[in-house]
Amino acid sequence: MKEFTLIDTYFANLLPSVPSLILGVGDDAAVWEPTPNKQQIFTVDTLHAGCHFLPEDPPDTVGHKALAVSLSDCAAMGARPVGFLLSLSLPRIDETWVKNFSLGLKALASQYDLALLGGDTTQGPLSISLTLMGEVEPGNFLTRAGAQVQDDIYVSGTLGLPRLGLELLQGNQYIPEADYDLIVKAYRQPQPQLSLGQALIGLATSCIDISDGFAADLGHILEKSHCGAQVQVETLPLHHLLKEYVEADRALDWALTAGDDYQLIFTVPPSRRDEVKAISERLNLPLTRVGIITPGTELIAHRANGQRFDLGSKGWEHFSNE
Ligand code: ADP
Ligand code: MG
């Protein structure tokens, strides 16, 4: 199968057309009519086989993840996603792989009525780059920059399970079969917190999604907001299966420093706790208060007894071994 037949077969009509897409897949560029009186947001993420997913991961889960990580960025901005561009680098044309990849992508894209504007297909090491476009009411977006001293720090959902999924896939740990699929799914198919991000507009003073680990990503909020934080480690919402299968200190370390959680960290003034609680109930999503914004620049983690908890290298950095 040739490149163009591949695009025509699996991508040209993958998603239904939307009125804003004046010209989609098939020409030299796409033409898009922005919604009047909205601001656009853009984000791009690249996933390399062996780094961001495992080469043997089922292709539908790779399609899901390629889109989910960008949707997570969109969630952190409090934006509504509208469409995306897809750049695929494939070592060879494996039609079954591409077909299942496209189906995984479609399943998630359909949940949000996204448009596929176009893309690029080249031969090379297996890697996917996806550019997502979203929209917000003018000025109504969340950033990393607005946290204020005394604000509460919250994290959504639970932490650490994707890391356990990776350990299982790498054969580093064995657990009863009954829980295997759910844990591996947490690694392969993260669920972006879009409803939460949009609900936090006008409430959260800052927000970020966790792609590099709780501590590293909270660190980005502190840097941009010019403040420090105190986090009490026992309050971090570790997934119950993590507590069940992983020794306590290791589980805590993963919750603090492992990437791939794709939950949101956000800050809210303490006077507005009821509003956070109402969102948590409405979305049926745990929103856990884990710390407080402080003066200074330091991120201090401590135990309930006051003892300081060493954060070590604070998470994953791509070029950390250079
Ligand atoms: P050009 O060489 O002019 O950039 P391409 O051959 O790369 O054109 O692409 C032809 C058309 O197919 C374009 O509209 C492009 O957006 C679309 N396309 C290519 N690869 C993909 C893909 N992986 N997913 C969606 N659309 C794609
Ligand atoms: Mg091209």
Side-chain angles (χ1 to χ4, degrees):
M1 182 178 256
K2 289 229 164 49
E3 178 197 325
F4 296 111
T5 332
L6 186 88
I7 297 165
D8 274 352
T9 312
Y10 296 112
F11 297 107
N13 299 304
L14 185 70
L15 295 169
S17 185
V18 301
S20 290
L21 188 57
I22 309 299
L23 187 62
V25 173
D27 218 299
D28 290 309
V31 180
W32 179 263
E33 173 91 44
T35 314
N37 305 315
K38 302 267 189 194
Q39 285 176 344
Q40 253 93 50
I41 67 125
F42 296 90
T43 177
V44 59
D45 282 283
T46 302
L47 275 69
H48 294 302
C51 182
H52 304 94
F53 64 95
L54 302 173
E56 59 277 11
D57 278 342
D60 60 317
T61 70
V62 179
H64 174 105
K65 192 170 193 176
L67 179 56
V69 300
S70 289
L71 287 173
S72 181
D73 282 327
C74 187
M77 301 302 291
R80 186 177 77 85
V82 293
F84 65 97
L85 290 149
L86 173 71
S87 177
L88 268 182
S89 163
L90 302 169
R92 64 201 161 81
I93 293 186
D94 174 344
E95 225 190 304
T96 310
W97 195 94
V98 173
K99 179 181 177 190
N100 289 313
F101 170 86
S102 75
L103 293 176
L105 191 68
K106 178 180 178 166
L108 185 59
S110 305
Q111 283 183 35
Y112 302 102
D113 300 323
L114 301 185
L116 177 53
L117 283 72
D120 197 25
T121 307
T122 53
Q123 190 166 25
L126 181 58
S127 126
I128 302 128
S129 184
L130 192 145
T131 303
L132 180 77
M133 180 174 59
E135 58 185 32
V136 294
E137 297 299 326
N140 279 347
F141 50 84
L142 305 168
T143 71
R144 303 174 174 186
Q148 301 285 326
V149 173
Q150 294 295 328
D151 279 355
D152 290 323
I153 302 167
Y154 290 86
V155 64
S156 66
T158 63
L159 299 175
L161 202 64
R163 175 55 189 270
L164 178 57
L166 179 60
E167 296 284 323
L168 299 185
L169 289 169
Q170 289 176 330
N172 297 336
Q173 188 167 339
Y174 296 89
I175 58 142
E177 208 175 312
D179 291 325
Y180 185 89
D181 286 352
L182 192 142
I183 299 175
V184 161
K185 192 173 178 198
Y187 169 74
R188 284 177 171 159
Q189 290 174 280
Q191 300 300 322
Q193 298 294 355
L194 283 154
S195 303
L196 174 61
Q198 289 163 34
L200 292 174
I201 293 284
L203 176 61
T205 51
S206 71
C207 187
I208 192 168
D209 71 314
I210 307 182
S211 52
D212 295 336
F214 173 86
D217 288 315
L218 175 56
H220 293 312
I221 287 187
L222 304 184
E223 207 177 299
K224 291 283 181 182
S225 300
H226 307 290
C227 53
Q230 280 196 25
V231 170
Q232 195 200 311
V233 293
E234 287 90 349
T235 59
L236 290 168
L238 274 55
H239 195 282
H240 70 95
L241 291 174
L242 194 67
K243 290 191 214 162
E244 187 171 338
Y245 294 124
V246 180
E247 180 262 319
D249 276 354
R250 193 163 202 230
L252 191 52
D253 185 55
W254 285 355
L256 279 161
T257 63
D260 277 331
D261 279 313
Y262 298 104
Q263 295 294 341
L264 298 183
I265 303 172
F266 57 96
T267 55
V268 176
S271 58
R272 304 186 70 179
R273 283 180 191 171
D274 289 351
E275 290 168 75
V276 177
K277 192 158 167 271
I279 292 172
S280 169
E281 282 163 10
R282 177 165 64 82
L283 300 179
N284 192 22
L285 175 70
L287 300 175
T288 310
R289 194 151 49 84
V290 296
I292 186 170
I293 296 293
T294 60
T297 55
E298 231 188 326
L299 170 53
I300 297 174
H302 61 87
R303 295 189 186 269
N305 64 11
Q307 193 193 349
R308 185 103 176 230
F309 186 92
D310 185 13
L311 288 171
S313 67
K314 293 207 293 189
W316 163 260
E317 282 183 55
H318 279 273
F319 301 104
S320 57
N321 50 6
E322 276 185 5

